[in-house]
Amino acid sequence: MTLTTVRVRGEASSVRLPGAWGLGLRRGALEIKQFFRQRDQVVFTFAFPVVFLFLFASIFKDDVRGAGITASQLYVPAMMAAGIMSTSFQSLGISIAIERDEKVLRRLRGTPMPPAAYFLGKIWLVLVTGLLETAILLVVGTSLYDVKLPSEPAKWADFAWIFVLGLTACALLGIAISSVPKSGKSATSVVVLPFLVLQFISGVYIAIDTIPDWMLNIGALFPLKWMCQGLRGVFLPESAKVLEQAGGWEFGRIALVLGAWCVGGLLLCLLTFRWKNRRDG
């Protein structure tokens, strides 16, 4: 809690304001409310990965040789990973750039609200939308494409830390990349292009065993490839691990890479984030 002085009828008095955590919760509720009021954005956000899953799973539905699964089953966890990155990296990268261009950030910076509350609000937004996106894809995957839900608690524990670390890393990268566009109008192009490229070289749209090694090595530098691999390890049978570049799920390496990106993403945010456009000084 923080104290601030206000004047009521000419007399000064101290008012106790909520702390960063309390303000962050309120800011998060506002962000979520604003998001669901924009119906076109809601439909596009949640329908995009589902539509792509339907298209790719309908086109490629044969059995994957030696893996014990169908191609459609292979797409479900990959689309979940892409959905997590879409609701965090892409969403924050574009929305924060637009808010900066429209001077929303500049006005917020001039209020008593702690800067941490703004970012906490964004985190609540991506957490809620990321969970909803994943739940929708799980329902579609289990009902239409025979993806089996894990029965072992350890698998669900793996899902939990992959989701949390992946969402955190991608959210921090989204905040960092929001400083790259020169204006809000160019934000979509600047953010969507690298995300689209990463989806093709990280095993979202194309099976890992058909992607050239040099592309996979580039994709391995970023979180999406490891999120895809980890979620495949959670929702696909052990027989499917033969499709991976290393022939295994590598949960330890996944945790290491995603954790490193959480730290690296935070450092990038601290070094690059701006409350004003470059032209505003």
Side-chain angles (χ1 to χ4, degrees):
M1 303 286 282
T2 57
L3 287 174
T4 188
T5 302
V6 297
R7 238 170 233 289
V8 180
R9 295 180 179 178
E11 297 183 1
S13 61
S14 296
V15 177
R16 190 173 293 276
L17 297 177
W21 179 254
L23 287 172
L25 286 173
R26 298 180 187 184
R27 181 73 195 176
L30 177 62
E31 293 274 1
I32 294 167
K33 187 182 295 184
Q34 289 177 337
F35 172 80
F36 282 102
R37 282 177 176 173
Q38 300 175 22
R39 295 183 181 179
D40 53 344
Q41 182 182 2
V42 172
V43 172
F44 179 81
T45 299
F46 294 131
F48 186 81
V50 175
V51 170
F52 267 69
L53 172 60
F54 175 77
L55 289 174
F56 279 92
S58 299
I59 296 170
F60 306 102
K61 53 187 177 182
D62 297 331
D63 292 341
V64 180
R65 185 179 300 176
I69 58 171
T70 62
S72 57
Q73 291 174 315
L74 190 63
Y75 280 113
V76 174
M79 289 298 179
M80 277 194 282
I84 292 171
M85 192 166 186
S86 173
T87 55
S88 52
F89 171 80
Q90 180 174 290
S91 175
L92 292 186
I94 295 173
S95 64
I96 293 177
I98 292 174
E99 288 176 358
R100 181 184 294 112
D101 195 47
E102 294 178 348
K103 296 182 173 55
V104 174
L105 296 187
R106 191 173 183 176
R107 291 194 294 271
L108 287 174
R109 192 70 179 95
T111 68
M113 182 183 76
Y118 171 77
F119 297 108
L120 283 171
K122 292 296 186 185
I123 289 171
W124 282 115
L125 172 63
V126 299
L127 179 61
V128 169
T129 54
L131 283 171
L132 285 174
E133 182 78 90
T134 303
I136 291 169
L137 286 166
L138 268 179
V139 170
V140 173
T142 54
S143 59
L144 298 181
Y145 302 112
D146 296 324
V147 172
K148 305 299 182 185
L149 293 178
S151 56
E152 306 93 339
K155 287 286 188 180
W156 285 111
D158 288 333
F159 169 76
W161 65 257
I162 291 168
F163 178 86
V164 171
L165 288 180
L167 188 77
T168 303
C170 292
L172 290 169
L173 284 175
I175 295 172
I177 202 173
S178 71
S179 297
V180 175
K182 293 182 178 179
S183 68
K185 293 180 180 179
S186 64
T188 301
S189 301
V190 171
V191 175
V192 170
L193 179 59
F195 179 41
L196 184 62
V197 172
L198 280 177
Q199 289 177 86
F200 276 97
I201 65 175
S202 299
V204 176
Y205 299 138
I206 303 174
I208 286 289
D209 59 343
T210 61
I211 302 174
D213 284 342
W214 68 270
M215 286 188 179
L216 283 176
N217 292 335
I218 294 175
L221 298 174
F222 300 93
L224 183 57
K225 186 262 186 188
W226 301 100
M227 291 163 57
C228 291
Q229 184 171 319
L231 292 177
R232 283 194 292 266
V234 170
F235 294 104
L236 297 183
E238 290 297 303
S239 58
K241 67 170 61 173
V242 298
L243 300 175
E244 301 299 332
Q245 189 178 20
W249 303 128
E250 299 182 292
F251 284 120
R253 181 173 292 184
I254 293 169
L256 183 62
V257 174
L258 293 181
W261 266 114
C262 289
V263 176
L266 179 59
L267 291 175
L268 282 174
C269 291
L270 294 173
L271 292 172
T272 63
F273 187 80
R274 294 176 290 102
W275 294 92
K276 298 185 293 183
N277 271 330
R278 295 186 185 93
R279 62 175 178 269
D280 295 329

